[in-house]
Amino acid sequence: MIRAWLVMLLFVSSLSWAAQSSYEFDSDAQRESFNRLTAVLRCPMCQNQNIADSDAMIAHDMRRKVHQLLQDGKTEDEVIAYMKARYGDFVYYEPPVTIGTIWLWLIPLIFIACATIIVVKRRKPQVSADMAEQLAKADEILRQDKS
Amino acid sequence: MKKTWLVVIPVMLFVLVAAFLYSGLSSDPRQLDSQITGQPFPEFLLPDLMEPEKNYTQAALKGEVTIVNVWGVWCVTCAVEMPYLTHLKETEGVRFVGLYFDQDLDPDNGTKTLNRVQQEVTELLSRYGNPYAFNIFDVYRDTSLDLGVTGAPEHFVIDREGIVRMHHVGDINERVWMNKIGPLYQRLTGREEQNAQGAGR
């Protein structure tokens, strides 16, 4: 029982850690903007974390900057543009559609299209005359077995 | 006919995927495209690290080819490269300007005093050599953010007009200088031509 509680406590503490922030906001809307932005901006240092999760110094600085820009009345898009101007497209989890990245969307579609064509074409296997004869024979044997 | 396609298509796919994955083997995910290269150095107004009453703007970087070195005493690689930077300053007259930022000096809940930072810097530079013309103190790390700095050390080669020509992430050692930064530096300072003329005579 105690063990179960301890395990639960573990989750509680990590949750509160994620939510911990010393920033003050003018409004709830601004706080939501901040939470949204820090979740979609990627830490350039620890590359598989967003800046809300990362404890790298650069992530701290970027969070502070996001907060400051929001306080200055910048919109979410402007904050993202600000970060992109400094750290490149890399910093935003949604890649822009370019010749190079369009394949991320196209390849799965092409794959599905090809697979569909193949499946549809193969649906009716053509049974050769020889094979049909053998199948008929087999069916007959089966029927005889049953009766 | 159909049979050949059944062989050719998978082989082609395999080759394409293999080529793609092979190129991925040697690509460094930490190598980000620098956004600042080709742009003027970001505007700033920051104090000197040693004499805080003295202020610098981006104009301080103009007029001479300069290498801005982003560093801090807490950064081990920075200390490692210090003797080589000093060597470059002494032998080739390279102008290094430090953009200093401190990790522990969190602007929001600071724990370290400026005096302490200055003391540590003096100590480190007296031990490993001082390549810097001067050190700019990036108090809130805003300028580092404007430059797209992700850590330390990082270097920015600035031409005479104050345009960033190269962003080098990591330390400068002999190999990096010979292959990457040195040639650009020589070109920007125009020393290459002088050398070529000298060799021609």
Side-chain angles (χ1 to χ4, degrees):
Chain A
M1 189 62 202
I2 289 175
R3 205 157 152 180
W5 274 110
L6 282 178
V7 170
M8 275 176 76
L9 266 178
L10 209 69
F11 285 105
V12 171
S13 66
S14 63
L15 270 178
S16 61
W17 174 252
Q20 183 201 52
S21 108
S22 55
Y23 295 112
E24 284 174 15
F25 297 94
D26 295 342
S27 63
D28 283 346
Q30 203 182 51
R31 181 186 301 274
E32 276 165 31
S33 289
F34 179 83
N35 289 340
R36 253 198 310 277
L37 282 168
T38 52
V40 295
L41 288 170
R42 183 177 180 186
C43 170
M45 194 67 193
C46 13
Q47 304 203 327
N48 290 322
Q49 282 183 304
N50 58 26
I51 61 171
D53 280 344
S54 173
D55 200 34
M57 187 179 60
I58 178 75
H60 277 279
D61 288 352
M62 284 168 75
R63 283 200 294 270
R64 196 175 61 236
K65 201 64 170 183
V66 168
H67 178 250
Q68 185 190 327
L69 290 172
L70 287 175
Q71 292 279 3
D72 290 349
K74 296 273 194 294
T75 64
E76 287 183 35
D77 286 342
E78 281 170 333
V79 174
I80 289 167
Y82 180 97
M83 289 300 173
K84 272 189 177 180
R86 281 153 183 79
Y87 290 98
D89 292 331
F90 174 87
V91 82
Y92 186 39
Y93 268 120
E94 196 173 294
V97 180
T98 64
I99 297 276
T101 59
I102 189 90
W103 303 103
L104 291 174
W105 290 271
L106 281 187
I107 285 179
L109 289 181
I110 292 172
F111 183 80
I112 291 171
C114 289
T116 316
I117 290 170
I118 290 171
V119 167
V120 167
K121 274 200 164 177
R122 285 230 172 149
R123 186 171 275 169
K124 287 167 194 162
Q126 287 174 354
V127 183
S128 66
D130 186 35
M131 188 68 98
E133 208 174 295
Q134 281 183 8
L135 278 173
K137 235 181 227 169
D139 280 344
E140 206 170 310
I141 292 168
L142 278 173
R143 258 202 310 277
Q144 281 173 356
D145 262 12
K146 269 184 196 164
S147 58
Chain B
M1 184 62 202
K2 208 178 165 188
K3 284 245 168 95
T4 49
W5 277 114
L6 278 179
V7 176
V8 169
I9 291 179
V11 167
M12 260 166 50
L13 280 177
F14 173 77
V15 169
L16 278 175
V17 170
F20 177 72
L21 294 179
Y22 185 77
S23 72
L25 278 182
S26 53
S27 81
D28 180 6
R30 298 200 163 269
Q31 192 91 49
L32 305 183
D33 293 336
S34 173
Q35 304 296 307
I36 194 76
T37 307
Q39 306 281 329
F41 200 88
E43 290 179 14
F44 66 88
L45 176 66
L46 291 170
D48 188 285
L49 178 62
M50 292 307 174
E51 304 162 60
E53 61 281 357
K54 200 168 158 188
N55 281 311
Y56 296 109
T57 65
Q58 63 279 10
L61 303 174
K62 281 187 188 170
E64 210 178 322
V65 181
T66 303
I67 297 180
V68 171
N69 175 204
V70 180
W71 75 290
V73 285
W74 44 270
C75 151
V76 179
T77 318
C78 301
V80 170
E81 70 169 352
M82 216 55 89
Y84 188 67
L85 298 187
T86 311
H87 167 78
L88 284 176
K89 178 201 168 197
E90 282 164 2
T91 57
E92 304 206 26
V94 181
R95 184 188 190 227
F96 285 103
V97 169
L99 184 69
Y100 187 88
F101 68 93
D102 211 290
Q103 221 172 14
D104 298 333
L105 203 74
D106 191 327
D108 294 327
N109 33 14
T111 51
K112 215 169 173 185
T113 63
L114 181 60
N115 267 335
R116 178 80 198 288
V117 173
Q118 286 173 340
Q119 198 187 327
E120 284 178 358
V121 168
T122 314
E123 200 181 307
L124 188 133
L125 292 182
S126 64
R127 195 184 311 161
Y128 297 107
N130 182 0
Y132 303 111
F134 54 87
N135 268 288
I136 300 166
F137 188 21
D138 191 8
V139 189
Y140 288 93
R141 302 193 282 266
D142 279 334
T143 304
S144 301
L145 199 84
D146 285 343
L147 285 165
V149 168
T150 57
E154 294 197 11
H155 304 83
F156 298 87
V157 182
I158 321 285
D159 70 9
R160 292 197 179 90
E161 279 72 46
I163 311 289
V164 178
R165 291 293 175 196
M166 186 187 280
H167 179 179
H168 172 69
V169 178
D171 64 327
I172 295 183
N173 49 42
E174 202 170 342
R175 186 175 48 83
V176 170
W177 182 259
M178 290 300 174
N179 298 324
K180 192 177 170 188
I181 302 177
L184 174 76
Y185 179 80
Q186 310 290 354
R187 203 166 63 239
L188 290 176
T189 50
R191 272 184 215 163
E192 201 176 41
E193 289 159 41
Q194 285 170 14
N195 287 348
Q197 281 169 5
R201 262 176 232 152

